């Protein structure tokens, strides 16, 4: 059996040997066997685990990537696969949300009512006017404001809500997403992203950027799946890595020690 040093694993990925040790400590790669001299001895299984973990981080993030590897390395394949499934389900939800936002952007930029959107000030819509425009109740708009979806200005003297052009855009998009079955928390996140994008031109550019990011994530998931599958194949079906570290069966001392 070929033995590897921490340096060998680290060099492949351009990381430090301390990072490799930390990944072992945190359960992201199997425990290494120690020689009588106290040195760690890694194997190709450890190298495959490190490749899988780093690919998972790229695709799913540190938290989920770590959860998947810890589950595998304690023999809980079902938990690992469930975490993978959640990641794919999230990507699908993100794609669905992006499609809805894209349709809303198209509606906002090409719809006949765009030029008629009010500007903040004397022509701003009241809560009743906006409710009639959307065919929802004023209570619905107040609820959207309470959860952070809408943020209308207030008339200084009366305190009445004033919905300007940006507020109307946010309300129309929220209404579209709500009709599509999206929960309010998710709508709030989308609206907050849109607010940071600026006008409709910047918003269209943001949608294109979001789509590229989702595509990159999807491709990263394909790569992670391949590396994860290779690691699982090396483990075998009945390898309880939490108590039987990879390569622990051999007593041979590495040549460099």
């Amino acid at each position: 059996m070929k033995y590897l040093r921490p340096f060998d694993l680290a060099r492949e990925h351009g990381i430090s040997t301390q990072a490799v040790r930390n990944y072992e400590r945190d359960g992201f790669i199997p425990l290494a066997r120690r020689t009588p001299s106290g040195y760690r001895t890694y194997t190709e299984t450890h190298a495959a685990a490190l490749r899988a973990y780093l690919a998972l981080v790229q695709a799913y993030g540190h938290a989920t990537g770590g959860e998947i590897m810890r589950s595998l390395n304690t023999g809980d394949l079902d938990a690992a696969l469930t975490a993978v499934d959640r990641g794919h389900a999230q990507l699908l939800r993100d794609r669905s949300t992006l499609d809805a936002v894209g349709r809303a952007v198209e509606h906002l930029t090409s719809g006949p009512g765009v030029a008629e959107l009010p500007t903040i000030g004397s022509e701003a819509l009241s809560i009743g006017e906006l409710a009639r425009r959307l065919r929802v109740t004023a209570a619905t708009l107040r609820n959207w404001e309470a959860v952070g979806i809408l943020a209308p200005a207030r008339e200084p003297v009366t305190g009445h809500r004033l919905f300007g052009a940006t507020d109307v855009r946010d309300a129309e998009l929220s209404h579209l997403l709500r009709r599509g079955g999206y929960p309010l928390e998710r709508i709030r996140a989308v609206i907050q992203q849109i607010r940071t994008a600026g006008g409709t031109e910047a918003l269209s550019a943001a949608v294109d950027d979001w789509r590229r990011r989702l595509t990159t994530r999807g491709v990263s998931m394909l790569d992670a799946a391949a590396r994860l599958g290779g690691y699982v194949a090396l483990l075998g079906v009945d390898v309880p890595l939490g108590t039987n570290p990879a390569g622990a069966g051999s007593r041979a001392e590495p040549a460099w020690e």
Side-chain angles (χ1 to χ4, degrees), residues 13 20 54 68 78 114 118 141 157-158 166 172 180 196 200 213 218 245:
H13 304 284
V20 174
L54 295 177
I68 293 169
D78 285 342
V114 173
L141 296 179
V157 177
T158 65
T166 300
E172 288 186 333
T196 62
T200 54
R213 289 172 182 268

Side-chain angles (χ1 to χ4, degrees), residues 3 32-41 251-254 256-257:
Y3 288 95
R33 188 181 70 85
R34 296 287 189 131
T35 69
S37 305
Y39 290 98
R40 289 176 171 85
T41 59
R251 291 297 184 184
E253 189 96 3
W256 65 84
E257 296 178 7

Side-chain angles (χ1 to χ4, degrees), residues 103-117 133 172 200:
R103 291 193 298 270
V105 171
E106 182 178 356
H107 169 73
L108 292 173
T109 55
S110 62
V114 173
E116 302 172 2
L117 290 178
R133 179 189 181 105
E172 288 186 333
T200 54

Side-chain angles (χ1 to χ4, degrees), residues 51-101:
R51 295 183 195 109
Y53 170 66
L54 295 177
L56 287 168
V57 168
Q58 187 70 24
Y60 299 92
H62 286 85
T64 300
E67 177 186 357
I68 293 169
M69 294 304 295
R70 278 193 298 267
S71 296
L72 282 179
N73 293 335
T74 54
D76 196 343
L77 179 60
D78 285 342
L81 295 177
T82 297
V84 170
D85 291 342
R86 284 199 303 267
H88 283 279
Q90 181 65 59
L91 179 61
L92 183 60
R93 287 195 299 271
D94 289 346
R95 287 191 184 281
S96 180
T97 299
L98 180 62
D99 288 341
V101 171

Side-chain angles (χ1 to χ4, degrees), residues 151-229:
R154 295 280 184 158
E155 204 282 329
V157 177
T158 65
H160 292 164
R161 295 171 176 82
L162 300 174
F163 294 88
T166 300
D167 302 308
V168 173
R169 180 204 66 190
D170 292 347
E172 288 186 333
L173 178 54
S174 300
H175 190 36
L176 182 148
L177 294 175
R178 196 67 175 135
R179 293 198 310 272
Y182 291 93
L184 294 180
E185 290 184 2
R186 189 155 187 80
I187 294 174
R188 178 181 59 193
V190 171
I191 294 300
Q192 288 175 346
Q193 289 177 321
I194 288 173
R195 285 174 185 157
T196 62
T200 54
E201 182 177 348
L203 180 54
S204 295
V207 168
D208 291 339
D209 181 61
W210 296 342
R211 195 174 301 281
R212 285 191 294 271
R213 289 172 182 268
L214 291 184
T215 298
T216 298
R217 196 197 314 172
V219 172
S220 295
M221 285 181 175
L222 290 177
D223 179 61
R227 296 188 180 277
L228 190 62

